[in-house]
């Protein structure tokens, strides 16, 4: 792990030699990868990608913004770079692009630019959302669950929405014009914030906890057509996840899907923004029994469990235990200082 107590330096441009970039404390790319087994060829590709980091960082819009999922993505000799985690994150992008190094390089530039613009860490750790939005999502963390990469899961209780059309109209259409510094709708920012928070609970180097599960509970949902606002908002979210959160999903469960609403699944498939690899991770069911995956003892009865101490999934909420990473905090502070400076400029 990196030494978070050292002061940050903000210069990111000087190139490191490929050798420096791949070996720190005697570790090579190969020895740093713990989450999955990779072949010699794949290791070589990762090595190439690591050696391209100085170039990637030169190409991004803001050279001070070199963070992904709270971890500094920079060369090994920079402060706060955890080489092991950094390589695992780079590997996820590489796998998503079938080990095409140039395609991955281009994608990393895009993701770093998106993060610099969207500020997902601010959505997760600084911004406060209405109860209406907060009531739609839960993060669970079952420390002792070693199967299926489901220790961490986000639960979206979209069935709780009284009027989906309304929430997408209210929060889901267009950018947040009220606050130029925060792009995207409140719904989108809340959803991305939930995702980022959940990533704070995974360990990128742990084969059993380097991905998250996701549950969409559609209990009580009834809908005959998808209104344009909802279509636009869901398409946007699905695209953002596909582009910027690669290899992070273990399984996505769609539970309590009313039998008459199977057509919605077809609708999402036809949107054309969900990759074949992601589709394979989907489990659609017309009931809510998740005990085969999570185990009965962990779940409330509504999800097929026998944990009598818990009635609602909200009672298992683990979000409060997620803290922003040390490097994320440094970047958030910089963002806050910039915002204060911008406000001061406006006042003057
Ligand atoms: C009121 C009804 C519904 C609402 C409000 C709703 C909401 C959403 C939202 C906001 C997303 C964006 C992705 C995310 O948040 O993770 C999404 C994705 C999705 N929903 Fe629904 N949904 C509804 C009904 C359904 C039904 C009945 C199905 C049928 C299985 C369904 C299947 C899907 C699929 C397949 C995705 C794509 C997931 C992904 O790519 O990760 N939805 N939905």
């Amino acid at each position: 792990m990196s030494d978070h107590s050292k002061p940050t330096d903000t210069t990111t441009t000087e190139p490191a030699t490929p050798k420096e970039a791949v070996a720190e404390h005697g570790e090579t790319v190969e020895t740093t990868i713990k989450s999955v087994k990779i072949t010699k060829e794949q290791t070589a590709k990762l090595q190439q990608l690591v050696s391209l980091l100085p170039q990637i960082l030169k190409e991004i819009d803001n050279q001070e913004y070199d963070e992904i999922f709270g971890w500094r993505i920079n060369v090994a000799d920079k402060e706060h770079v955890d080489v092991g985690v950094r390589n695992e994150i780079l590997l996820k992008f590489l796998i998503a692009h079938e080990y095409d190094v140039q395609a991955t390089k281009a994608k990393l530039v895009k993701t770093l630019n998106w993060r610099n613009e969207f500020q997902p860490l601010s959505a997760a750790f600084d911004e406060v959302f209405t109860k209406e939005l907060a009531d739609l999502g839960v993060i669970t963390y079952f420390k002792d669950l070693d199967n299926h990469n489901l220790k961490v899961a986000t639960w979206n209780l979209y069935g709780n929405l009284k009027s989906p059309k309304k929430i997408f109209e209210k929060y889901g259409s267009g950018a947040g014009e009220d606050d130029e510094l925060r792009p995207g709708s409140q719904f989108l920012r809340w959803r991305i914030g939930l995702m980022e928070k959940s990533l704070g609970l995974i360990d990128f180097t742990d084969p059993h906890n380097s991905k998250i599960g996701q549950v969409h509970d559609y209990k009580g949902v009834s809908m005959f057509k998808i209104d344009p606002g909802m279509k636009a908002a869901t398409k946007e979210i699905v695209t953002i996840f596909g582009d910027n959160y690669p290899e992070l999903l273990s399984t996505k469960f769609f539970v309590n899907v009313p039998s008459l609403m199977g057509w919605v699944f077809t609708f999402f498939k036809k949107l054309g923004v969900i990759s074949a690899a992601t589709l394979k991770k989907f489990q659609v069911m017309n009931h809510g029994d998740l005990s085969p995956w999570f185990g009965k003892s962990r779940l409330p009865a509504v999800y097929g469990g026998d944990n009598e101490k818990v009635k609602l999934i909200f009672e298992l909420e683990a979000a409060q235990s997620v803290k922003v990473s040390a490097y994320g905090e440094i970047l958030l502070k910089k963002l806050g200082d910039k915002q204060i400076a911008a406000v001061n400029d406006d006042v003057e």
Side-chain angles (χ1 to χ4, degrees):
M1 291 275 163
S2 58
D3 176 359
H4 293 313
S5 62
K6 289 184 215 161
T8 351
D9 78 283
T10 51
T11 47
T12 56
T13 47
E14 71 266 40
T17 65
K19 206 172 162 213
E20 276 165 348
V22 295
E24 191 185 54
H25 310 306
E27 284 180 315
T28 65
V29 160
E30 197 176 12
T31 55
T32 61
I33 296 300
K34 310 262 194 298
S35 66
V36 284
K37 281 209 164 70
I38 54 173
T39 65
K40 279 216 164 83
E41 267 172 32
Q42 292 166 340
T43 305
K45 299 277 183 183
L46 180 57
Q47 201 128 352
Q48 267 179 39
L49 186 63
V50 170
S51 65
L52 288 173
L53 272 177
Q55 233 174 299
I56 290 171
L57 294 165
K58 256 188 203 158
E59 283 177 32
I60 58 178
D61 295 341
N62 176 4
Q63 310 221 324
E64 281 187 23
Y65 202 92
D66 54 357
E67 160 279 338
I68 296 183
F69 315 140
W71 296 92
R72 192 173 194 188
I73 305 298
N74 210 315
V75 294
D77 58 356
K78 294 283 178 191
E79 312 261 7
H80 304 289
V81 175
D82 183 316
V83 174
V85 175
R86 180 204 65 188
N87 289 354
E88 296 278 3
I89 292 172
L90 293 178
L91 181 64
K92 284 183 185 295
F93 279 83
L94 203 50
I95 294 173
H97 293 87
E98 292 166 351
Y99 288 90
D100 178 333
V101 177
Q102 287 307 322
T104 310
K105 174 180 175 257
K107 177 53 81 185
L108 280 165
V109 170
K110 278 195 177 159
T111 290
L112 284 160
N113 286 343
W114 175 76
R115 294 186 70 87
N116 172 50
E117 200 198 330
F118 192 91
Q119 298 291 338
L121 294 180
S122 157
F125 299 103
D126 271 359
E127 294 162 33
V128 180
F129 297 98
T130 60
K131 190 170 175 326
E132 201 175 0
L133 285 172
D135 279 354
L136 297 178
V138 178
I139 298 170
T140 54
Y141 180 39
F142 300 118
K143 251 188 190 160
D144 58 342
L145 175 57
D146 275 339
N147 286 331
H148 323 295
N149 251 311
L150 291 172
K151 272 187 208 288
V152 181
T154 58
W155 301 65
N156 284 129
L157 300 131
Y158 291 141
N160 278 354
L161 273 177
K162 297 286 169 293
S163 165
K165 186 172 176 329
K166 227 172 169 184
I167 201 158
F168 289 118
E169 262 171 14
K170 206 164 158 191
Y171 302 115
S173 53
E177 294 94 332
D178 55 324
D179 188 347
E180 279 175 69
L181 294 166
R182 292 173 182 168
S185 68
Q186 283 296 289
F187 184 84
L188 177 63
R189 297 197 67 79
W190 163 79
R191 182 66 187 89
I192 294 291
L194 186 78
M195 180 70 180
E196 290 285 330
K197 253 193 195 154
S198 70
L199 297 182
L201 288 170
I202 71 170
D203 174 352
F204 287 89
T205 64
D206 179 351
H208 301 295
N209 189 26
S210 46
K211 296 186 181 196
I212 63 159
Q214 293 185 352
V215 180
H216 281 203
D217 187 346
Y218 290 128
K219 195 177 177 76
V221 152
S222 109
M223 192 171 56
F224 300 105
K225 64 179 174 60
I226 297 195
D227 94 284
M230 180 174 163
K231 183 177 170 180
T234 50
K235 189 174 176 183
E236 187 182 19
I237 298 172
V238 172
T239 306
I240 288 176
F241 279 150
D243 284 350
N244 300 295
Y245 296 89
E247 292 297 308
L248 283 161
L249 177 69
S250 54
T251 310
K252 189 152 182 157
F253 304 95
F254 301 88
V255 303
N256 295 316
V257 176
S259 308
L260 280 173
M261 296 201 59
W263 61 269
V264 183
F265 196 75
T266 315
F267 160 83
F268 274 103
K269 268 194 191 164
K270 284 196 177 154
L271 267 185
V273 288
I274 309 175
S275 72
T278 301
L279 278 173
K280 278 194 197 142
K281 297 176 181 173
F282 289 179
Q283 299 270 350
V284 185
M285 43 193 98
N286 60 7
H287 56 80
D289 185 2
L290 287 168
S291 61
W293 287 275
F294 290 91
K296 276 189 178 299
S297 63
R298 296 185 187 90
L299 295 174
V302 283
Y303 292 114
D306 60 12
N307 185 343
E308 285 172 4
K309 288 190 205 132
V310 183
K311 289 263 170 304
L312 300 170
I313 199 71
F314 285 98
E315 293 163 44
L316 294 169
E317 175 67 271
Q320 65 281 355
S321 64
V322 192
K323 299 272 173 296
V324 63
S325 66
Y327 190 61
E329 199 173 346
I330 289 164
L331 288 188
L332 278 178
K333 188 175 175 310
K334 267 193 214 165
L335 177 72
D337 291 348
K338 264 192 195 151
Q339 282 173 344
I340 292 167
V343 170
N344 287 344
D345 282 353
D346 280 354
V347 172
E348 275 163 21

